[in-house]
Amino acid sequence: MKILVCISHVPDTTSKINFTDGDTTFDTNGVQFVINPNDEFGLTRAMWFKEKQGANVHVVNVGGPETEPTLRKALAIGADEAIRVNTVATDGYSVAKQLAHIVSEGGYDLVIGGRESIDYNGGMVPGMIAKLIGANFINTCISLEVEGTSATGIREIDGGKETLKTSLPLVIGGQKGLVEESDLRIPNMRGIMQARSKPLHVKEPIAANAETQTTQFEKPAPKGAVKLVDNVDDLINLLHNEAKVI
Amino acid sequence: MSVLVFTESEGGAFKKIAHEAVSYAKGIADMMGTSVTAIAINANNSNELGNFGASKVLEVSNNDLNTFNAEAYADIITQAAKAEGAEVVIVTSSANGKFIAPLIAVNLEAGYVPNVTELPKSSAPFIVKHSVYTNKAFSMTEINTTAKVVGLAKNAYGVKENATDITNETFTPAINVGGVEVVSVDKATDKVTIADAEVVVSGGRGLKGPENWHLIEDLATTLGAATACSKPVSDMGWRPHSEHVGQTGKPVASTLYIAIGISGAIQHLAGINSSKVKVVINNDAEAPFFKAADYGIVGDAFEVVPQLTEKLKAFKAQNA
């Protein structure tokens, strides 16, 4: 089985979000970039397929050279090869077009993406890849088993879960649950050394127009100060008469 | 030209987010000088969508669609959009809405923007405001394509009554069930879900252990609320992952969010930022959550929460 794990290069979850250039550009100053958490759960599940079922695992990112440390980290965790599509990721659709091309070219059986990236929260790339290449698709996937060409997945739905049966080729939008938080791997020294000599292919992009573009970023309006009360009667009174939510 | 809105239902009844989506569609239709067509799959009482501004509803009724099927639903909405010549398609940000929206966007060669919180800033160029960086910021984003798919954030625009004469049409699209088959659905029917809840009561490490969760549950029951928890609580296995709210868990956009014994890590705050009113109960006056809250009580959860539950019961009885 050939697996492609799509890796978004995103600001660490603790990052303070600021913008520059008249609020049109994300300010990377002092920001540490990481593998998108939803993708990391998928990558770790891919490692399970590699170790238990002999899968071959590639990782891919659409972005400039600054994203290579993130791909190297994925190699250090255990991916066999990495691909970087050498173009600035502009919108979800253009990224999905690039990735769909990589999937078709590489003949991958399983494509693992994240439910969403924690920067743009688009949640669209896996579904678009599936539609563009005509593969099956499971979103918000919290469990995945593959046997031959059949796959069984569990999807998180509002208020519960759904068990689904499908077949390869398959694309999933993965999240926590594919593996547990405690299963995530911190690359060890051996992994980091090996990652240095693993292939990282840089591919030039295909033509793909963005369908959407950010014209401006905004920060949420500053919040007023908290009203502290010292008893529950006052709280109920405020929630009823002032906030009008009960 | 029209605005097409997919109206989600469950067991034949429209969800509240369907009413919100129609209200929003009407707002866009007014900006563009056109009308709203709703598409409803296996729903009863489609006429009620007229209360929120729909002029027409396309009714699809098919036993193969009783269980949600993303491929089939996306395909039906695509066919409806083409039949109506819809310039804008509105879907919600429910789990099912987010599943089908990218598929519809590819089908229609439409640009798609999710988590939209307001009416477009302008309709030509078509610029919408949506949350990014998990509610830590907003982006004003232009959609360049002729057809557009807009994913509406929950509880941002609100339900707006707008009585409109509505006509019903039976719509019989080709049904393409695709290659993903539902084997079983496991859903608690007696519990309010985080996605649908108006009120969410959430507990953190301050509760000291899963055996104390009756405090959260009793308060939630009193308020008709969903229960949720912080990341450490789900990581320690005190509560199921499905209750974890925050950046890597579920987003919460409730009207009232009550956080008990949660310190307020930046990742947690990001996930609950879209909630309207936030109440924090914590014994640590320095907990960062107080800076993000509207109301707070500095106190011991084990004393404050049972009192709050009792007083709320009395309040509810009085105001029933």
Side-chain angles (χ1 to χ4, degrees):
Chain A
M1 178 166 54
K2 274 188 85 175
I3 302 177
L4 183 68
V5 184
C6 308
I7 302 283
S8 255
H9 165 84
V10 299
D12 174 41
T13 57
T14 57
S15 302
K16 293 254 191 293
I17 304 300
N18 290 303
F19 302 101
T20 57
D21 298 338
D23 285 339
T24 58
T25 310
F26 176 69
D27 183 359
T28 57
N29 198 9
V31 170
Q32 192 179 351
F33 282 82
V34 296
I35 298 174
N36 181 47
N38 289 311
D39 306 346
E40 195 175 350
F41 290 111
L43 174 64
T44 311
R45 185 64 189 161
M47 289 302 104
W48 189 92
F49 287 123
K50 176 182 153 115
E51 284 153 19
K52 306 281 187 209
Q53 299 187 348
N56 195 337
V57 178
H58 294 181
V59 292
V60 63
N61 167 264
V62 177
E66 73 282 1
T67 68
E68 288 192 4
T70 301
L71 284 173
R72 289 279 175 209
K73 186 181 172 197
L75 291 172
I77 287 171
D80 299 300
E81 294 181 27
I83 302 162
R84 178 171 68 80
V85 180
N86 186 30
T87 184
V88 177
T90 43
D91 77 334
Y93 175 75
S94 59
V95 168
K97 283 279 270 196
Q98 300 298 343
L99 293 175
H101 177 72
I102 297 289
V103 176
S104 303
E105 211 180 49
Y108 295 97
D109 307 293
L110 173 64
V111 179
I112 300 179
R115 175 192 73 182
E116 65 175 23
S117 66
I118 61 168
D119 51 3
Y120 285 96
N121 309 118
M124 65 183 83
V125 171
M128 286 179 166
I129 296 172
K131 199 76 212 177
L132 287 167
I133 64 171
N136 293 315
F137 174 48
I138 299 176
N139 202 22
T140 54
C141 187
I142 55 172
S143 162
L144 181 68
E145 304 285 344
V146 177
E147 203 56 64
T149 58
S150 335
T152 307
I154 299 179
R155 171 173 87 99
E156 188 168 82
I157 58 176
D158 293 333
K161 54 193 179 183
E162 199 175 72
T163 304
L164 301 158
K165 229 169 69 183
T166 187
S167 58
L168 304 181
L170 170 69
V171 181
I172 66 162
Q175 62 179 62
K176 182 169 155 183
L178 275 177
V179 298
E180 297 303 318
E181 185 92 14
S182 54
D183 296 328
L184 296 180
R185 300 172 182 194
I186 297 162
N188 57 25
M189 193 45 76
R190 191 162 160 264
I192 294 167
M193 296 304 286
Q194 283 176 339
R196 288 187 186 165
S197 55
K198 284 179 179 173
L200 194 164
H201 312 278
V202 177
K203 298 204 173 183
E204 289 310 310
I206 58 163
N209 290 333
E211 296 181 330
T212 63
Q213 72 193 62
T214 292
T215 58
Q216 182 125 43
F217 290 106
E218 285 177 16
K219 300 264 291 239
K223 247 195 80 45
V226 60
K227 276 192 188 171
L228 289 178
V229 296
D230 53 15
N231 66 74
V232 298
D233 291 308
D234 288 352
L235 179 63
I236 291 171
N237 183 27
L238 285 166
L239 291 177
H240 182 58
N241 293 313
E242 187 178 90
K244 300 191 192 319
V245 291
I246 57 169
Chain B
M1 190 179 86
S2 69
V3 175
L4 182 75
V5 53
F6 170 54
T7 49
E8 270 176 75
S9 59
E10 193 164 314
F14 287 109
K15 296 178 140 192
K16 187 189 157 200
I17 50 169
H19 295 163
E20 188 175 13
V22 175
S23 306
Y24 180 80
K26 175 64 174 163
I28 290 197
D30 286 348
M31 284 178 76
M32 299 174 70
T34 180
S35 61
V36 176
T37 300
I39 174 147
I41 298 175
N42 289 350
N44 309 322
N45 301 323
S46 297
N47 283 341
E48 77 183 47
L49 300 176
N51 297 338
F52 310 99
S55 307
K56 178 155 97 173
V57 53
L58 301 175
E59 294 178 335
V60 179
S61 165
N62 187 310
N63 283 334
D64 291 340
L65 302 172
N66 284 334
T67 311
F68 174 78
N69 174 321
E71 188 74 37
Y73 274 49
D75 197 43
I76 289 166
I77 296 163
T78 303
Q79 292 175 58
K82 287 183 175 162
E84 287 292 304
E87 192 167 322
V88 182
V89 177
I90 314 284
V91 293
T92 59
S93 297
S94 67
N96 291 352
K98 288 199 164 177
F99 198 167
I100 59 177
L103 308 180
I104 299 168
V106 171
N107 284 342
L108 292 173
E109 297 179 344
Y112 161 50
V113 175
N115 307 317
V116 171
T117 54
E118 290 177 6
L119 284 177
K121 187 175 140 201
S122 65
S123 59
F126 194 91
I127 297 177
V128 284
K129 180 176 177 176
H130 60 113
S131 63
V132 291
Y133 295 98
T134 323
N135 295 313
K136 291 181 207 163
F138 296 96
S139 169
M140 305 297 296
T141 298
E142 179 179 349
I143 306 182
N144 307 321
T145 46
T146 310
K148 298 153 186 83
V149 178
V150 173
L152 179 65
K154 184 201 157 201
N155 221 352
Y157 185 73
V159 175
K160 295 190 172 39
E161 304 256 339
N162 197 330
T164 305
D165 289 332
I166 186 165
T167 56
N168 314 42
E169 270 179 30
T170 302
F171 186 60
T172 47
I175 309 286
N176 152 33
V177 293
V180 181
E181 184 195 339
V182 176
V183 182
S184 63
V185 180
D186 176 8
K187 187 169 173 169
T189 46
D190 55 338
K191 274 192 82 179
V192 188
T193 67
I194 293 172
D196 291 333
E198 292 288 320
V199 182
V200 173
V201 179
S202 191
R205 261 184 301 194
L207 285 156
K208 296 188 165 65
E211 66 279 7
N212 298 321
W213 234 257
H214 60 93
L215 293 174
I216 300 289
E217 277 160 353
D218 290 349
L219 179 57
T221 307
T222 307
L223 287 164
T227 54
C229 69
S230 65
K231 182 166 178 290
V233 163
S234 101
D235 286 347
M236 289 184 292
W238 294 3
R239 301 295 293 174
H241 288 324
S242 56
E243 286 199 359
H244 161 205
V245 301
Q247 196 155 18
T248 53
K250 282 202 172 60
V252 178
S254 56
T255 305
L256 173 60
Y257 183 78
I258 304 180
I260 298 163
I262 300 178
S263 62
I266 188 168
Q267 300 94 331
H268 185 83
L269 299 180
I272 60 101
N273 220 353
S274 308
S275 292
K276 295 266 187 299
V277 175
K278 289 152 234 161
V279 174
V280 171
I281 298 169
N282 201 308
N283 61 5
D284 176 9
E286 301 299 316
F289 214 145
F290 282 112
K291 289 203 177 71
D294 298 285
Y295 303 104
I297 294 183
V298 180
D300 182 353
F302 293 90
E303 285 171 25
V304 175
V305 177
Q307 282 175 22
L308 181 60
T309 304
E310 283 318 304
K311 298 271 183 169
L312 274 170
K313 274 185 190 158
F315 170 85
K316 291 263 168 188
Q318 219 173 55
N319 291 273

